[in-house]
Amino acid sequence: MNVMEVRNVKKIYSSKLNGNESQALKDISFSVKKGEFLGVMGPSGSGKSTLLNVISTIDTPTGGTVAIGGKSIINLDEDELSEFRRSRLGFIFQDYNLLDTLTLKENIILPLSLARQDVRVIEEKVKKISSILGIDDILNKSPYEVSGGQKQRAAAARAIITEPELILADEPTGALDSKSSTELLENLSELNKQNAATIVMVTHDAFSASYCNRIIFIKDGLLNCELERKGSRKEFFNEVLKTLSNLGGVLSDLV
Amino acid sequence: MTLFKLSVHNIKHNFRSYFSYFISTLFSVFMLFMFYSIYYNKQMEAFSNGRVKVYTIFKAASIIVIIFSALFIWYANSFFIKSRKKEMALYSILGMKKKEIGTLLFCENMFLGILSIIIGLPLGVIASKFLLQLLVNIMKARVVVQYTVESRAVIATTLIFIALFLFNSIKAYGEYISSGSLNF
């Protein structure tokens, strides 16, 4: 079953000043199956962040359709949009975006409290998710009291707590050191396996991408190629590196 | 967590980012009250009675003070809202409705406004006492001025600022509702 269908998505940015147009996405189609951990890679400027913004309803495409759970997410009205974001979408940002005024626990349960869920149900969910992510002993701390890796795991918990159909991650390891990155990626693949969570992760880092089941490569606003993981993570990592160097761009920019 | 609770929580725990806005509104309240308490002071009234010029100057000056406070608060408010764009975008992506976020902004604005009236008025009382004495000294008037807290000054200041804050809170709400895409 496909959780997400992206069909012929285009995005054109036009400048109001001189009428210049730039095509960030030319024609992109792909689908994501339930329980998949999909990576989106490409050199900078290839349009991967634009794609993620379109999928997450932060931005609207110029053409094409995006359907999540069989329902189009283009041209939703205000109520449908907030309902979609609240219950069907989880988002992990590069720079965490936790609220400094709330404790980690309050941050994690914010989507549920905004949806006015029962307190007992919330407590249970927090317990379960924080133990998977290994943050159960720091739940009552403020975001500025914990490390970047712990913040990002709290952000991941916030994204997953509503049990959304789709979790979108925009360079989640971009601000983390290698140890925290590894922990977070292992957590994500754990969530992917245990909860059958569907994850789409944008990254330019081959190591992060090697945790995915499948990777699509984007170049100049077009789908360039696709890579499926068959063997071990190490083999997949080497394959990713090879594909990236074929794709062009400076290698040091990609690794 | 209800919207009301969240707005109180935000102000309590994030006072630093509200501080510059709060200080500017506090200052406006303080200034206007100081002015009004001299304007409405009984002895000053008796002094200016019959002197049309003094009365008109005071009247004109009070309008100027109100206009400047309004512009000042308007500007401070826009700056304050802009500095919180990212937070609003986060609420939105977590599934809060535009109306709810607008209401949150409205509540926070009103809280801060009312708080600055509550703190600004007593400060104004203390300062205007000194200012009145200074004024009398400068004018070299040989009178002992009795300072009294004028209820008319309190009421006028409170009403004017509640109107200003209400207007700004509605503006903040309206601007958010009509704003376009999310900015992270």
Side-chain angles (χ1 to χ4, degrees):
Chain A
M1 198 193 106
N2 286 340
V3 167
M4 180 166 72
E5 290 269 4
V6 177
R7 287 281 159 266
N8 309 97
V9 164
K10 294 177 191 68
K11 178 73 192 178
I12 300 167
Y13 288 109
S14 49
S15 155
K16 275 174 197 151
L17 276 177
N18 47 19
N20 280 354
E21 285 191 345
S22 68
Q23 267 193 304
L25 298 174
K26 283 172 187 155
D27 184 12
I28 292 209
S29 302
F30 64 93
S31 53
V32 183
K33 286 189 202 74
K34 190 167 167 46
E36 207 171 15
F37 190 175
L38 180 82
V40 179
M41 293 193 83
S44 42
S46 59
K48 47 188 194 310
S49 291
T50 309
L51 179 65
L52 201 70
N53 285 346
V54 166
I55 296 170
S56 59
T57 68
I58 290 176
D59 213 339
T60 48
T62 318
T65 57
V66 180
I68 292 175
K71 235 184 114 190
S72 168
I73 58 158
I74 316 287
N75 297 327
L76 291 178
D77 70 29
E78 189 43 43
D79 286 350
E80 290 171 322
L81 198 62
S82 63
E83 170 62 26
F84 168 75
R85 287 171 177 166
R86 181 157 57 211
S87 58
R88 293 165 64 196
L89 187 74
F91 210 101
I92 306 174
F93 302 88
Q94 180 171 357
D95 49 356
Y96 332 118
N97 271 332
L98 296 171
L99 292 174
D100 282 336
T101 54
L102 304 176
T103 64
L104 289 186
K105 185 178 171 186
E106 286 168 330
N107 264 294
I108 293 169
I109 65 173
L110 190 60
L112 293 182
S113 0
L114 292 177
R116 296 196 181 81
Q117 279 219 9
D118 187 51
V119 181
R120 268 171 306 162
V121 180
I122 292 179
E123 287 293 329
E124 225 168 84
K125 283 184 176 169
V126 173
K127 223 182 208 171
K128 193 180 146 210
I129 282 158
S130 57
S131 72
I132 296 178
L133 292 169
I135 48 171
D136 31 6
D137 48 340
I138 50 164
L139 278 179
N140 290 320
K141 288 194 172 174
S142 269
Y144 52 79
E145 288 176 308
V146 302
S147 74
Q150 288 167 327
K151 272 191 231 183
Q152 193 61 298
R153 273 183 276 161
R158 181 182 62 190
I160 189 99
I161 198 157
T162 54
E163 290 162 18
E165 284 166 63
L166 186 66
I167 297 167
L168 299 173
D170 186 7
E171 307 258 12
T173 58
L176 303 182
D177 61 75
S178 58
K179 183 173 169 280
S180 309
S181 291
T182 314
E183 277 172 358
L184 180 78
L185 289 162
E186 252 145 36
N187 286 151
L188 283 181
S189 40
E190 193 67 16
L191 286 174
N192 172 244
K193 280 174 203 138
Q194 276 194 21
N195 295 22
T198 315
I199 305 175
V200 173
M201 178 172 76
V202 165
T203 182
H204 67 270
D205 172 37
F207 174 74
S208 304
S210 66
Y211 280 86
C212 300
N213 310 133
R214 187 163 67 99
I215 301 173
I216 57 173
F217 294 85
I218 293 176
K219 199 189 173 186
D220 301 327
L222 285 168
L223 212 60
N224 192 286
C225 57
E226 216 180 287
L227 212 59
E228 194 132 2
R229 176 168 161 186
K230 290 180 190 89
S232 70
R233 199 183 61 73
K234 263 224 167 97
E235 287 165 25
F236 195 48
F237 175 66
N238 288 328
E239 269 180 79
V240 173
L241 279 183
K242 217 164 37 186
T243 317
L244 282 177
S245 59
N246 288 340
L247 215 64
V250 191
L251 195 64
S252 62
D253 187 49
L254 300 165
V255 182
Chain B
M1 200 177 290
T2 57
L3 283 182
F4 184 78
K5 263 194 195 158
L6 188 64
S7 64
V8 174
H9 186 98
N10 275 346
I11 293 175
K12 257 204 263 175
H13 291 260
N14 203 13
F15 202 73
R16 216 166 5 137
S17 59
Y18 295 74
F19 195 66
S20 55
Y21 178 60
F22 180 67
I23 288 295
S24 52
T25 54
L26 188 66
F27 183 68
S28 304
V29 173
F30 174 73
M31 286 299 289
L32 191 70
F33 179 76
M34 231 157 56
F35 186 82
Y36 267 135
S37 55
I38 294 169
Y39 180 54
Y40 283 125
N41 185 281
K42 290 239 165 57
Q43 275 164 306
M44 290 299 282
E45 244 178 1
F47 174 74
S48 64
N49 222 355
R51 295 177 176 86
V52 183
K53 261 186 193 158
V54 177
Y55 185 75
T56 359
I57 288 171
F58 260 102
K59 195 93 192 165
S62 77
I63 291 169
I64 291 171
V65 171
I66 292 170
I67 290 173
F68 269 91
S69 317
L71 286 175
F72 192 45
I73 292 176
W74 171 286
Y75 184 73
N77 186 265
S78 306
F79 183 76
F80 174 61
I81 301 291
K82 255 183 216 135
S83 69
R84 306 189 55 210
K85 276 261 158 73
K86 200 170 174 176
E87 193 187 333
M88 300 301 141
L90 180 66
Y91 288 137
S92 184
I93 202 78
L94 290 180
M96 246 163 116
K97 284 180 192 146
K98 265 194 169 172
K99 249 187 260 163
E100 292 174 319
I101 301 174
T103 309
L104 184 74
L105 276 176
F106 179 86
C107 286
E108 287 185 12
N109 266 297
M110 282 313 280
F111 275 135
L112 281 177
I114 289 166
L115 196 66
S116 61
I117 292 176
I118 291 172
I119 298 179
L121 286 184
L123 282 180
V125 168
I126 298 165
S128 56
K129 202 170 171 179
F130 287 109
L131 191 76
L132 195 66
Q133 194 56 55
L134 190 71
L135 197 65
V136 169
N137 285 349
I138 288 171
M139 291 196 299
K140 298 208 164 86
R142 269 180 226 99
V143 280
V144 182
V145 186
Q146 287 277 299
Y147 181 76
T148 46
V149 179
E150 272 304 322
S151 58
R152 280 179 299 171
V154 173
I155 291 167
T157 316
T158 310
L159 283 183
I160 286 168
F161 275 97
I162 282 185
L164 278 181
F165 291 135
L166 201 62
F167 178 70
N168 269 294
S169 304
I170 291 170
K171 180 187 77 119
Y173 177 86
E175 263 175 25
Y176 184 77
I177 292 286
S178 59
S179 66
S181 61
L182 302 174
N183 298 302
F184 277 101

